[in-house]
Amino acid sequence: MPAGRPAEALLAELRELRAGDAPTRGGRTFAYVYDAGLPAADELAAAAYGVFATVNGLDPTVFPSVARLENDVVGAVNSVLGAPGAQGSFTSGGTESILLAVKTARDHARAVRGVTRPQLVLPSTAHAAFHKAAHYLGLETVVVPVDPVTFRADAAAVADALTDRSVLVVASAPSYAHGVMDPVSEIAAAAAARDVLCHVDACIGGWFLPFLSRTGRTVEPFGLSVPGVTSVSVDLHKYGYADKGASVVLYRDAELRRHQYFAHADWPGYPVVNPTVQGTKPGGLLAQAWAVLHHLGHDGYTELARQVARAADLVLAGLRATDGVRVLGEPAGSLVAFTVTGADGTGDLGRTLQVADEMRERGWYLQPQLSHDGLPPNLHLTLTPATGGQVEALLADLAESVAVARASEPVTVDPALAELAATLDPDALTPEEVAGVLAFAGLGGGQGLPSRTAPVLVLLDALPSRLKERLLTEYIGTLFRV
């Protein structure tokens, strides 16, 4: 531990560190951040957090304000996405909300139906957090391919995948990867017919789509009012514009929510009851979400949804008018995925990734997504109200970047290398062998990512999933090392 330092020096160092990050405001970073373009909302969130910074949400009997705020936030979400009798919890983010929904389904099925080897049925486009939850909680995943043209889940295929071991079916509203809506009503009906719970992952769309509907746009129903839907997750740190992390998981009733809770009294300490995964919980995150939610209100969120929709209209029109670009599916509102096509009209992996590099050099971050099971590689855009003022510049730089990429030597992988990689057993690789592969891929030495990532990502795209996962795990481990 170093000697103490003045506060201003520490703050100056933090500001210097932040200067090397992607910008979180201004509409040029199209993943991970949600910019309402309202500095007053940001200031309110920071101030509200400060009021509750020392409050521990672990015990609402000691800090009753925690229960008051959480009931208010969950009630607000229930008024938009819920149904009479619905109950929920405030969580740290979408991953925790999803993990809790999976735990609830597992424990409910064990108690009510006697299921001891539970299965989680989900479309291939369902968020990776469901696989994480299944891994943590001991469920078997049953993955159902989506339609290769629309990228929507196939409700009939989902129904066919259900067995007596199924405890939860997943639908997305919308899916993160492509921004399209799954047929929630059909999937929920199929689940209900087999007495299986149905969770709708509305983490990214749950606090945007209802307000988009208020602007007059058509939005397919997806909340607890849909027959068969038994739980919903919605992130308030996305289109609720609260700071991270703030999410809500909502259940059809308190009896179902009970299976989410953990209690333990068989020890000499205080009796423990944890509604969520966390024990100690920062009261500040709940307070800032509550403050922003009430500050913006329904009318404010409706106006922000209108701004996002206008930006999406302009972006989509521009993308569809750009030679060599194909939009994937029919975006439900705020998420757009597009691929750069080759001569045959299909997604060109190398050139798509080259466009991401070109755009990054021009000050934009577009999220690269690799190919998967026949679905094309693409670039992902998360649109926010701040996007509106950037659309013209974005499209101009994008057209230039596409032209540069299509005129450049294509980025490819040696087929012999890909063939060799397919023979490697990721679980048998030694640390030295993994370090060698990472170095070959341009990820060695703890130096972070290279300035242009297309060559690295093209190689990763060619690797089997398990090997890809092993290498990425080891790489991230090199970033967090003292």
Side-chain angles (χ1 to χ4, degrees), residues 9 95 150 180 268 306 317 319 367 375 402:
T95 295
T150 66
V180 301
R306 182 178 287 110
L319 290 174
Q367 188 172 46
L375 304 182
V402 170

Side-chain angles (χ1 to χ4, degrees), residues 297-370:
H298 280 205
D299 290 344
Y301 282 116
T302 301
E303 175 54 30
L304 291 170
R306 182 178 287 110
Q307 292 176 29
V308 173
R310 287 172 182 160
D313 290 343
L314 294 172
V315 168
L316 286 169
L319 290 174
R320 288 170 173 149
T322 301
D323 184 44
V325 166
R326 177 164 64 91
V327 174
L328 304 183
E330 288 297 328
S334 63
L335 306 183
V336 175
F338 68 93
T339 191
V340 179
T341 59
D344 60 357
T346 61
D348 185 311
L349 173 67
R351 288 197 166 90
T352 298
L353 298 175
Q354 283 176 294
V355 167
D357 282 341
E358 291 293 330
M359 289 295 282
R360 198 155 192 170
E361 289 188 358
R362 290 163 174 77
W364 307 90
Y365 177 75
L366 280 57
Q367 188 172 46
Q369 300 188 135
L370 304 181

Side-chain angles (χ1 to χ4, degrees), residues 107-317:
D107 292 358
H108 174 269
R110 182 168 54 205
V112 175
R113 293 166 45 211
V115 177
T116 58
R117 294 187 300 131
Q119 292 178 327
L120 171 61
V121 179
L122 65 169
S124 62
T125 50
H127 197 279
F130 288 98
H131 294 272
K132 182 178 184 179
H135 176 73
Y136 282 1
L137 298 170
L139 285 79
E140 176 188 342
T141 55
V142 179
V143 179
V144 181
V146 299
D147 186 290
V149 176
T150 66
F151 306 97
R152 283 162 57 95
D154 183 334
V158 169
D160 289 343
L162 295 175
T163 72
D164 291 340
R165 293 170 55 200
S166 303
V167 303
L168 185 65
V169 176
V170 175
S172 302
S175 64
Y176 181 85
H178 306 105
V180 301
M181 290 284 287
D182 283 340
V184 171
S185 297
E186 297 172 46
I187 290 174
R194 295 294 298 268
D195 198 24
V196 176
L197 301 182
C198 177
H199 181 81
V200 174
D201 174 15
C203 286
I204 202 161
W207 212 245
F208 169 74
L209 294 173
F211 298 103
L212 180 66
S213 177
R214 284 170 58 104
T215 71
R217 307 243 181 168
T218 300
V219 174
E220 298 176 26
F222 62 90
L224 287 175
S225 62
V226 175
V229 173
T230 54
S231 58
V232 179
S233 51
V234 52
D235 287 358
L236 299 178
H237 62 219
K238 291 188 170 77
Y239 289 99
Y241 304 107
D243 289 338
K244 298 179 183 298
S247 180
V248 167
V249 57
L250 200 63
Y251 300 97
R252 67 184 179 195
D253 54 40
E255 175 60 23
L256 186 56
R257 184 186 60 174
R258 178 177 62 83
H259 295 282
Q260 169 188 293
Y261 284 29
F262 171 82
H264 188 76
D266 190 17
W267 76 305
Y270 64 94
V272 171
V273 180
N274 295 147
T276 62
V277 173
Q278 295 174 297
T280 292
K281 298 171 69 172
L285 291 176
L286 173 60
Q288 60 88 24
W290 176 88
V292 173
L293 199 67
H294 286 280
H295 175 63
L296 294 176
H298 280 205
D299 290 344
Y301 282 116
T302 301
E303 175 54 30
L304 291 170
R306 182 178 287 110
Q307 292 176 29
V308 173
R310 287 172 182 160
D313 290 343
L314 294 172
V315 168
L316 286 169

